[in-house]
Amino acid sequence: MSFVDENYFRTCLAALPIQKSYTKAELLIDAFRLQQADEIEIYYTPHNEYVNVAAKVMIVGITPGWKQLEIAYRTAIQSLKQHKTYEEACKDAKIAARFAGATRVNLIQMLDEIGIHNLCGISSAEQLFDRNCTLLHTTSLVRYPVFVAKRNYNGHNPSLIRNEFLEEAALQSFVIELEMLEKPLIVPLGKSVESFLRHLIRLGLIAEHHVIWGFPHPSGANGHRLSQFEAGKAAMIEIIEELQV
């Protein structure tokens, strides 16, 4: 399922040259802008076009950042030049871009510490990120990258819940995507994602799924990551153990 005009964006991607990297000036352009409200802009990216409907674990961030976007474009362009289909290119982009780098390392370590791998019947959460693993789906509340004055949106300024434009973007993204999966275990990354999920539950827009509350965002830029994780670790382990019974 494509959430945008597949033919248009496949053509746009295929027209770009293969490069080792791309700049914001090359990718944050009118052709790829989906929506705008004053300084808030939402841009297309191929990687969140791919949804793994068979997933048992759904990891949810706020919105993809520039780094993910650039990796996703670079990967998808290469795949299309190899004559792969749009869906295959989007899947390749998803696998390459999802929580790339140190963020993924931190994420895997924390998932292992709370025992997600035991629940999934694997030896380590690292296997969730294997290309052929069908247990994981990664996504964002706002499926496509949000930039405020061309900078990554941090989930706080403006508030996702209090800003009508962003709230509607999240509703149009996440609720629809969640309905495509069959009762996954949800791992919200950070307090902003948690707050929005609780907001959706209060509104009755989503059922109260099994959620690992208290999981911090794994980015190295989150200086409180370790203390937040330790504070909520016991409760998260308890949720996992209850699901194993």
Side-chain angles (χ1 to χ4, degrees), residues 40 146 148 153-163 166:
I40 306 172
V146 177
V148 180
Y153 172 56
N154 60 14
H156 304 294
N157 188 21
S159 166
L160 187 61
I161 294 174
R162 296 185 180 88
N163 183 278
L166 288 175

Side-chain angles (χ1 to χ4, degrees), residues 19-227:
Q19 297 178 186
K20 291 184 178 180
S21 64
Y22 299 86
T23 65
K24 287 184 177 181
E26 291 172 312
L27 299 183
L28 300 188
I29 58 177
D30 291 347
F32 293 121
R33 187 189 298 114
L34 298 175
Q35 294 175 275
Q36 182 174 7
D38 298 323
E39 288 191 315
I40 306 172
E41 298 173 293
I42 300 178
Y43 284 87
Y44 165 83
T45 185
H47 77 288
N48 274 352
E49 281 279 272
Y50 178 78
V51 179
N52 176 21
V53 296
K56 302 301 180 185
V57 177
M58 185 182 200
I59 300 178
V60 186
I62 285 284
T63 186
W66 162 252
K67 182 177 180 180
Q68 283 182 287
L69 181 150
E70 194 276 332
I71 293 172
Y73 272 76
R74 184 167 9 114
T75 305
I77 291 165
Q78 291 173 349
S79 296
L80 290 172
K81 298 290 188 184
Q82 295 168 2
H83 306 292
K84 291 187 178 183
T85 66
Y86 179 75
E87 183 177 4
E88 289 170 334
C90 290
K91 182 178 180 179
D92 289 345
K94 169 78 87 176
I95 292 167
R98 57 188 180 185
F99 306 113
T103 296
R104 185 186 294 186
V105 174
N106 296 336
L107 176 58
I108 289 170
Q109 181 179 346
M110 289 190 289
L111 290 173
D112 276 345
E113 287 192 40
I114 63 173
I116 284 277
H117 58 295
N118 295 325
L119 184 65
C120 295
I122 54 180
S123 60
S124 168
E126 184 175 7
Q127 292 175 255
L128 292 173
F129 292 88
D130 288 349
R131 179 178 184 83
N132 296 318
C133 182
T134 60
L135 296 171
L136 176 66
H137 178 58
T138 58
T139 190
S140 303
L141 290 177
V142 182
R143 179 181 302 112
Y144 300 108
V146 177
F147 296 93
V148 180
K150 294 294 190 293
R151 295 180 181 178
N152 287 344
Y153 172 56
N154 60 14
H156 304 294
N157 188 21
S159 166
L160 187 61
I161 294 174
R162 296 185 180 88
N163 183 278
E164 185 176 345
F165 174 73
L166 288 175
E167 181 186 27
E168 183 62 24
L171 291 175
Q172 291 298 318
S173 289
F174 183 72
V175 176
I176 295 171
E177 197 165 328
L178 180 59
E179 290 175 348
M180 296 171 67
L181 278 67
E182 188 175 345
K183 297 181 179 179
L185 172 66
I186 301 174
V187 184
L189 300 184
K191 294 181 179 179
S192 294
V193 182
E194 275 197 15
S195 296
F196 196 79
L197 289 185
R198 294 187 189 277
H199 176 60
L200 294 178
I201 291 170
R202 285 194 302 270
L203 293 175
L205 294 175
I206 65 171
E208 189 160 3
H209 290 66
H210 293 300
V211 180
I212 303 297
W213 301 112
F215 200 97
H217 196 285
S219 169
N222 179 7
H224 302 290
R225 182 184 77 253
L226 296 179
S227 59

